[in-house]
Amino acid sequence: MNSSLPVQENVDLAPLLTLRTPAQARFYLCAQSIAEIRQGLEFARARDLPVLLLGGGSNLILVEDFDGLVLHLGLKGVTYTPQEDGSCIVRAAAGENWHELVTNTVARGYRGLENLALIPGTVGAAPVQNIGAYGVELKDTLTRVEVLDRRTFQCRTLTNPECGFSYRNSLFKTSDGQHFIILAVEFRLDRSRPLQVGYGDLARVLESRGAEMTEASVMQAVMEIRRSKLPDPKLIPNVGSFFMNPIVDCRQFQHLQQQYPQIAHYPLHDGRHKLAAGWLIDQAGWKGYREGNVGVHDRQALVLINPGQGRGSEVIELARKIQRDILQRFGVALNIEPVRVPGD
Ligand SMILES: Cc1cc2nc3c(=O)[nH]c(=O)nc-3n(C[C@H](O)[C@H](O)[C@H](O)COP(=O)(O)OP(=O)(O)OC[C@H]3O[C@@H](n4cnc5c(N)ncnc54)[C@H](O)[C@@H]3O)c2cc1C
């Protein structure tokens, strides 16, 4: 073992995962620099071990122990470069906390990230599933992503279109992009872009307050709604929304709407409809359900919880039951949102 490299052996990952599932990493390294990332990759290559990238552990389910190197991205640093047109280029390193970045940009009077406040995790993982909330996605302001290629150890920069962003998806989730380690993310924010306030609950809360619409008031409203609806992972282990909102074609939607006139849905530009997975799960009676260590949150049916700190496999077993039930009742397939290791 490279004695200067702080690699640890047999590390308990539960404290590093918001779902708190017990799982051991055979080796663990928190890399603070690009040089340490490269050394970590060399360490794993020399031993023919798989590498798992870890940020804040808020979208990750370890189904079993990891017989390889867990590489925790600890790179830090944020720079603000004001532009002549009044916008600002913000570059944040992968290990920065996402919510802190949002609050710091808002405190400086820049718009663009306020709807994404309180999403747990790191800046480096944010592009992986193109994080989104309250009508805004990361891709709306992201300009570039700096990456290191695990195969060549070389760094390069990807433009927004090269990242292949779509709903909760990106190049980084595909076989073509999984060899990229995200080192830093760059955004263009400004002081005058229209605020996105039309989304359901957000519109209602802002209207009821009647306060001036600023990036700060929007962020406060988002935080208020999130705190009232979503369990704090520090108190009740969870990974946020467990299933993606399913998209169905117009015919299937009309059929469902006839049977369930109240069905929650968002029409898409191409004629299809996005359904609210939480609504389907709630209608099927799963809200508040408990099974051993795991269960479904009693205020938000889309969130599976792990209060008994059960294993990842227990959570996945419950998720499979819910998927089968929703398919049987509504003919709709639910896809799991968080990353599972090992995958299917
Ligand atoms: C209470 C709660 C609420 C949430 N709300 C939302 C929400 O509103 N919207 C939303 O989109 N998500 C939400 N999430 C999910 C989660 O917060 C985001 O997906 C977040 O971006 C994950 O960041 P992380 O650092 O914790 O990633 P991790 O869980 O550590 O990793 C997630 C994936 O990214 C990979 N990865 C991590 N870092 C890097 C890197 N530097 N380079 C390449 N790959 C990397 C990992 O290998 C893994 O595959 C929520 C989660 C919780 C617990």
Side-chain angles (χ1 to χ4, degrees), residues 137-211:
E137 289 183 331
L138 188 81
K139 70 169 174 57
D140 302 339
T141 48
L142 180 147
T143 44
R144 304 192 306 174
V145 177
E146 293 168 31
V147 296
L148 184 147
D149 190 325
R150 294 195 209 192
R151 300 163 304 183
T152 60
F153 293 14
Q154 296 298 306
C155 294
R156 60 179 279 208
T157 300
L158 303 174
T159 61
N160 179 316
E162 283 174 323
C163 295
F165 291 122
S166 61
Y167 169 64
R168 296 295 187 274
N169 210 350
S170 75
L171 167 75
F172 308 107
K173 278 192 162 183
T174 68
S175 52
D176 283 347
Q178 272 177 347
H179 48 267
F180 289 132
I181 298 178
I182 296 170
L183 304 172
V185 184
E186 190 190 271
F187 305 88
R188 183 186 285 273
L189 306 179
D190 59 62
R191 298 185 188 279
S192 56
R193 73 171 52 228
L195 294 164
Q196 299 300 317
V197 294
Y199 209 78
D201 287 350
L202 182 57
R204 273 193 295 278
V205 168
L206 285 163
E207 208 176 314
S208 70
R209 285 182 169 184

Side-chain angles (χ1 to χ4, degrees), residues 18 52-60 73 94 119-122 124-126 128-129 131-133 168 180-182 226 230-231 233 238-240 337 339:
T18 62
L52 172 64
L53 303 177
L54 178 66
S58 64
N59 212 31
L60 201 49
L73 279 302
I119 297 181
T122 56
V128 175
Q129 73 156 2
I131 56 169
R168 296 295 187 274
F180 289 132
I181 298 178
I182 296 170
R226 292 185 71 99
L230 290 168
N238 75 88
V239 276
E337 187 195 285
V339 177

